[in-house]
Amino acid sequence: MKQLYPDAFYTYAHLADHAMKTGELIPPIRQVYPGCTVEEAYQLQFRNVDRRLADGWRIGGYKVGVIAEGAQRAMDTLQPVFGVLYDGMLRPSGAVLAFDALNAPLMEVEVALTAASAVDE
């Protein structure tokens, strides 16, 4: 795969990792790297998944978002996007969320799958 932004491109992966750990907001990748392809964005996501797994994080499931055609147009994509949910992100049904601890919270219906592994059984 052709990489448009050698080492500087991976700086965004570090920025996203820091944002994930601290809750700080960062600009969308297309704002920082306007020519970024979907494949390159996933390359950054997978880099951080590997980093987090190496740090002892556990995958709790996966999510699919940007399912609606209108949302896809707004995000300038022609397909849904997917991501990893870590076990620390999961909340039981009926859990109370502290909205003042969130950054610009919005409600969006997304498909979420919980993964179980043979290790967990």
Side-chain angles (χ1 to χ4, degrees):
M1 170 185 317
K2 180 183 176 233
Q3 187 175 314
L4 295 176
Y5 314 98
D7 294 330
F9 186 61
Y10 288 110
T11 300
Y12 191 87
H14 296 294
L15 187 65
D17 187 57
H18 178 74
M20 173 72 127
K21 291 175 180 172
T22 64
E24 293 177 26
L25 296 177
I26 60 174
I29 190 162
R30 284 203 156 160
Q31 187 176 331
V32 178
Y33 298 107
C36 181
T37 66
V38 171
E39 292 81 11
E40 289 167 329
Y42 279 124
Q43 186 178 5
L44 291 178
Q45 181 183 159
F46 296 142
R47 185 178 187 102
N48 280 343
V49 169
D50 290 343
R51 176 184 309 184
R52 291 181 188 121
L53 292 175
D55 286 345
W57 293 38
R58 295 185 53 170
I59 293 177
Y62 301 90
K63 75 172 210 128
V64 178
V66 193
I67 296 171
E69 188 176 320
Q72 291 174 9
R73 278 194 304 273
M75 298 283 295
D76 193 27
T77 185
L78 301 174
Q79 61 193 12
V81 297
F82 71 94
V84 173
L85 298 173
Y86 300 96
D87 59 350
M89 298 172 153
L90 303 179
R91 300 294 179 265
S93 180
V96 176
L97 300 177
F99 280 96
D100 59 340
L102 303 175
N103 289 318
L106 299 171
M107 294 303 222
E108 178 184 4
V109 176
E110 294 184 347
V111 176
L113 307 172
T114 302
S117 71
V119 174
D120 294 334
E121 296 177 357

